[in-house]
Amino acid sequence: MLAYIGRRIVIALATMWGISLIVFVIIELPPGDAITTAMSLQAGGESGTSFIMTDEEMNNLRRLYALDRPLLVRYVNWLQRLAVGRWGVSYTYGGYASPTPVWEVVSDKFAMTVAVTGAATVLTWLLFVPIGVYSAVRQYSLGDYAASFIGFMGMAVPDFLIALVMLFLVFRFAGVAVAGLFSPEYIDAAWSLGKLWDLLKHLIIPGIVLGTAGTAGGIRILRANLLDEIRKPYVLTARTRGLPEMRLLLKYPLRVALNPAVSSVGYVLPALIGGSVIVSVVLDLNTLGPVLLEALRGQDTQLAAFIMMLIGGLTVIGTLISDILLAWLDPRIRKGFTG
Amino acid sequence: MQQTHTASSRAAPEAPPALLSVRDLATHFPVDEGNVVAVDGVSFDLYEGQTLGIVGESGCGKSVTALSIMMALSRPGRIVKGEILYRPRGQDPGPDEVIDLAALKPDGKEMRAIRGAEIGYIFQEPMTAFSPVHTVGNQLIEAIRLHRDVDGKEAKSLAIELLRQVEVPLAEQRLDAYSWELSGGLRQRVMIATVMASNPRVLIADEPTTALDVTTQAQILDLMRSLQQQSGMAIIMITHDLGVIAEMADYVAVMYLGKVVENAPVDDIFHAPKHPYTKALLRSIPKITEAEEELATIAGTVPHAYSRPEGCLFHPRCPEFMAGTCDARTPPPLPVSPGHHVSCFLYGDGG
């Protein structure tokens, strides 16, 4: 088991290196750099300032920020800085005069992002496991058809549309606007039980919206896997052994059928950040998704790179956790059985 | 409509009442494509300490008959008529103290007090009969704790004892093994141990040696026989292998398309077979003493599950087919000698 985990960690590190290459290439792809972006923003600015840099001034700035060095050098420099925790600064947050460290930009939103997606994930699991089991055990029953119908709807309807409809319904019937994560009076308040409760109330709708697709998919996958497992001879064997049906179901087929669900746990972590951009915009959630969108559009390279590295890192860590969980759950993976 | 007949009319005059009497059992699988008649009016008796062999080709309803007795049919299978009369442990022999298993709720408490506890079931494929993600010890101990009132520690030592009883070497280490880490023979031994955990009175063995090589096959059969001698349990041996029947069975039921076409003591089956199907089965055994060039086979194939023939089910493949009789009426079981019944118009005045 230790050797298995060790192997996985080595692979994870190699993957991280690969991701860093791709991220670097992506942020270098668009023509121009942060200086030209800043220039064009200045030039097109509505403030009407006629502050236009000369080429020489721009080149000086490039030298100052080491943007004139060869690609490979810049890549290695960047990697070195990442490794020692100098993750860079964002120029869109704080401006050129006093750029904000990217970590501050991100950490500010990070807790909220985790709260929103965490709520959605918990809700997803609470819903799809019992519904999936019911659907499989009572295959072709009215309840199964209902679950399948809702499941397909949940998968087919885009999240942001569900978000809009929910917003409308809640506003129409409860008379409250539920966008955002806090009521106005709590936004700048210090943390208190009241603020936490307010946050939990505001998490319900994002939780439902973001959880719908996951729940729908989960129901379908669990139902299909469980139906496969229930027909396996070892289930029949356990039944002929005299095991009560419920204990039988929980101990044997469900355990095996949950494998794919467990392996999807890994995708939850990156989805914490990157998975809810549009919904976050629609529901006005103060999460990282919109920040990444802005950073990419504004060529705020260090911020964009940091967020992408974060998403990549979380994907790798999530997958690592999934792999370890799976190995712990399934001896065939742990012992490398391929039959 | 097949009439109820019993094998209890066999020789022994003061024979004890049967442990298990199956009466006119019918099990259907209504699926979208049609109704599959898997078992069609099967009757037989099983006595303590004896082995009943059920023999027939693949798809003749042997396994479904057995799973019906266990009340462990997979969906959409269900028993549509008939009785499965079982005389539970601890009751005096008598015609009245029987339970009709077919009338019990499949997952009810009463059925679970019998399934696994009094009637054990051994599967053909020990590979897939164990959960791949639980150790065999876990499953063996589960069986012990389901049927015996012991704590975890006692169950573990009982498990080791059981494994020794079925001659598993290194019993203690094997508890921590997964089924896919064991050889086929060992797996089947562990399987037998899980079934013996409850000390059953009836052991249903569904092709227990089919997936094993010949040497292991003989060892497993020996093991089953010695366990039977120790415990006096009755065995229902389901197989398509007449060699296994010859070695194990006291009494044989030959099944074809969900019906018992002939039942008789084992010697009669081999030395005085009556039904053309039984004869055909016997002809298709390869003999090492005869230098035959070609092995006899049974003409045709088993009919499709949705299109059962009219009249005698075997008539389209029968070498002694009588037009106008065999394809018109269903032959009833007919006694031809003590304990020997055959469902064929060649005998009696049916033809």
Side-chain angles (χ1 to χ4, degrees):
Chain A
M1 186 72 179
L2 278 178
Y4 173 86
I5 294 175
R7 259 198 324 274
R8 290 284 136 184
I9 289 176
V10 171
I11 294 172
L13 289 175
T15 313
M16 270 319 288
W17 175 71
I19 291 172
S20 75
L21 265 182
I22 294 169
V23 166
F24 190 75
V25 169
I26 288 174
I27 54 179
E28 287 292 333
L29 272 181
D33 51 32
I35 309 295
T36 40
T37 309
M39 269 294 297
S40 63
L41 282 177
Q42 294 282 0
E46 5 180 294
S47 54
T49 48
S50 54
F51 179 78
I52 293 178
M53 281 185 281
T54 61
D55 279 355
E56 200 195 332
E57 284 170 323
M58 284 170 63
N59 283 335
N60 284 341
L61 271 176
R62 287 203 177 92
R63 210 166 301 128
L64 181 64
Y65 294 115
L67 291 174
D68 58 338
R69 312 286 290 277
L71 201 64
L72 205 61
V73 175
R74 274 184 289 145
Y75 170 69
V76 173
N77 283 343
W78 175 68
L79 215 54
Q80 277 172 346
R81 285 199 304 275
L82 277 188
V84 297
R86 285 171 59 206
W87 294 323
V89 292
S90 162
Y91 298 108
T92 37
Y93 289 82
Y96 283 89
S98 57
T100 316
V102 290
W103 175 244
E104 272 173 38
V105 177
V106 169
S107 64
D108 197 34
K109 319 269 178 184
F110 195 63
M112 289 307 111
T113 315
V114 170
V116 170
T117 328
T121 309
V122 170
L123 203 71
T124 301
W125 277 73
L126 285 181
L127 286 176
F128 94 76
V129 174
I131 297 178
V133 169
Y134 176 87
S135 255
V137 175
R138 298 263 178 278
Q139 194 190 7
Y140 302 139
S141 67
L142 204 62
D144 175 32
Y145 283 125
S148 296
F149 177 73
I150 295 169
F152 280 124
M153 291 294 283
M155 285 199 289
V157 179
D159 281 352
F160 71 88
L161 191 62
I162 299 177
L164 285 172
V165 171
M166 293 274 299
L167 279 182
F168 172 76
L169 288 179
V170 173
F171 184 75
R172 182 84 172 68
F173 293 104
V176 279
V178 284
L181 282 173
F182 296 103
S183 307
E185 64 267 32
Y186 282 112
I187 287 180
D188 289 318
W191 279 100
S192 63
L193 273 181
K195 185 170 181 174
L196 189 68
W197 178 238
D198 187 59
L199 172 67
L200 285 179
K201 276 194 296 189
H202 280 84
L203 279 180
I204 295 175
I205 286 183
I208 292 174
V209 170
L210 292 176
T212 313
T215 306
I219 291 173
R220 302 306 305 162
I221 293 172
L222 184 60
R223 179 180 181 272
N225 285 326
L226 204 51
L227 281 175
D228 276 352
E229 286 304 318
I230 281 175
R231 298 196 186 100
K232 296 254 171 92
Y234 71 87
V235 177
L236 188 56
T237 312
R239 187 174 294 137
T240 60
R241 201 178 288 149
L243 208 61
E245 205 62 19
M246 199 61 190
R247 256 177 79 190
L248 170 80
L249 184 75
L250 295 181
K251 179 174 175 183
Y252 294 107
L254 186 59
R255 162 93 182 260
V256 180
L258 273 179
N259 268 8
V262 170
S263 49
S264 74
V265 165
Y267 303 123
V268 167
L269 281 183
L272 285 177
I273 293 182
S276 50
V277 179
I278 300 176
V279 172
S280 292
V281 172
V282 169
L283 287 178
D284 190 21
L285 306 176
N286 192 20
T287 61
L288 269 179
V291 177
L292 173 61
L293 196 63
E294 277 311 305
L296 286 172
R297 285 176 51 188
Q299 276 197 310
D300 193 346
T301 45
Q302 298 187 14
L303 182 60
F306 180 64
I307 295 178
M308 282 193 284
M309 283 301 288
L310 202 59
I311 293 175
L314 287 175
T315 309
V316 170
I317 293 170
T319 311
L320 187 67
I321 293 173
S322 280
D323 283 351
I324 293 171
L325 269 181
L326 269 184
W328 175 62
L329 271 177
D330 194 333
R332 289 170 298 181
I333 293 170
R334 190 164 65 235
K335 300 195 172 192
F337 171 71
T338 52
Chain B
M1 185 72 190
Q2 178 159 342
Q3 73 189 66
T4 304
H5 68 105
T6 73
S8 53
S9 55
R10 55 206 285 250
E14 68 271 26
L19 192 56
L20 180 76
S21 292
V22 174
R23 288 287 167 274
D24 201 22
L25 178 73
T27 303
H28 293 184
F29 286 77
V31 291
D32 288 345
E33 293 80 7
N35 186 31
V36 176
V37 180
V39 178
D40 187 14
V42 161
S43 300
F44 58 77
D45 289 312
L46 182 69
Y47 295 88
E48 230 159 303
Q50 286 205 335
T51 300
L52 168 73
I54 300 182
V55 68
E57 283 165 287
S58 306
C60 71
K62 304 178 299 249
S63 298
V64 176
T65 303
L67 285 173
S68 300
I69 297 171
M70 298 299 284
M71 295 295 282
L73 291 165
S74 306
R75 263 184 322 200
R78 58 196 178 88
I79 296 172
V80 293
K81 75 178 161 100
E83 293 173 318
I84 301 163
L85 303 172
Y86 177 69
R87 195 156 48 79
R89 206 195 298 263
Q91 297 210 14
D92 293 328
D96 299 329
E97 290 96 352
V98 290
I99 300 177
D100 181 8
L101 302 185
L104 297 180
K105 252 183 75 192
D107 192 40
K109 213 175 159 213
E110 290 158 300
M111 189 59 223
R112 276 191 285 112
I114 292 170
R115 184 197 301 135
E118 303 209 8
I119 308 180
Y121 201 105
I122 295 175
F123 286 86
Q124 171 175 353
E125 229 317 316
M127 178 76 194
T128 51
F130 283 104
S131 159
V133 300
H134 297 84
T135 61
V136 293
N138 176 309
Q139 291 165 83
L140 175 55
I141 288 168
E142 174 187 81
I144 293 169
R145 298 199 67 178
L146 272 174
H147 303 298
R148 295 196 198 177
D149 189 21
V150 291
D151 64 27
K153 224 179 129 196
E154 286 172 294
K156 195 177 171 188
S157 58
L158 271 173
I160 294 167
E161 202 178 297
L162 274 165
L163 287 184
R164 295 217 173 102
Q165 206 186 335
V166 296
E167 294 154 33
V168 169
L170 305 171
E172 268 159 80
Q173 284 103 299
R174 301 297 189 205
L175 284 182
D176 298 324
Y178 292 94
S179 62
W180 35 267
E181 294 176 316
L182 302 177
S183 69
L186 268 186
R187 271 199 291 266
Q188 197 57 293
R189 283 176 194 275
V190 178
M191 184 85 241
I192 292 172
T194 64
V195 172
M196 296 309 292
S198 61
N199 196 15
R201 300 171 77 213
V202 177
L203 176 66
I204 302 178
D206 189 353
E207 309 244 8
T209 57
T210 305
L212 305 174
D213 67 73
V214 183
T215 324
T216 319
Q217 211 167 21
Q219 290 168 355
I220 294 291
L221 293 180
D222 284 345
L223 173 68
M224 289 177 67
R225 237 192 334 251
S226 82
L227 289 172
Q228 183 179 32
Q229 274 155 14
Q230 286 164 34
S231 69
M233 66 185 173
I235 296 180
I236 297 180
M237 177 67 83
I238 296 170
T239 182
H240 62 261
D241 184 344
L242 285 163
V244 171
I245 292 289
E247 202 171 328
M248 296 289 290
D250 300 302
Y251 200 80
V252 182
V254 180
M255 283 188 74
Y256 185 75
L257 284 188
K259 276 188 193 297
V260 174
V261 294
E262 182 166 10
N263 55 357
V266 66
D267 286 347
D268 280 11
I269 288 292
F270 282 96
H271 302 298
K274 293 286 186 272
H275 199 281
Y277 178 61
T278 313
K279 291 179 187 170
L281 275 183
L282 288 163
R283 269 199 304 276
S284 53
I285 304 176
K287 296 180 189 67
I288 48 170
T289 49
E290 287 167 35
E292 279 171 301
E293 284 182 2
E294 202 177 322
L295 184 64
T297 54
I298 303 176
T301 53
V302 179
H304 195 267
Y306 307 122
S307 57
R308 292 163 68 80
E310 294 284 311
C312 172
L313 297 170
F314 189 59
H315 85 256
R317 302 173 72 185
C318 186
E320 295 169 80
F321 166 63
M322 296 174 287
T325 304
C326 299
D327 52 359
R329 288 181 293 136
T330 303
L334 192 81
V336 287
S337 64
H340 190 163
H341 295 76
V342 61
S343 302
C344 181
F345 289 119
L346 290 172
Y347 307 94
D349 52 8

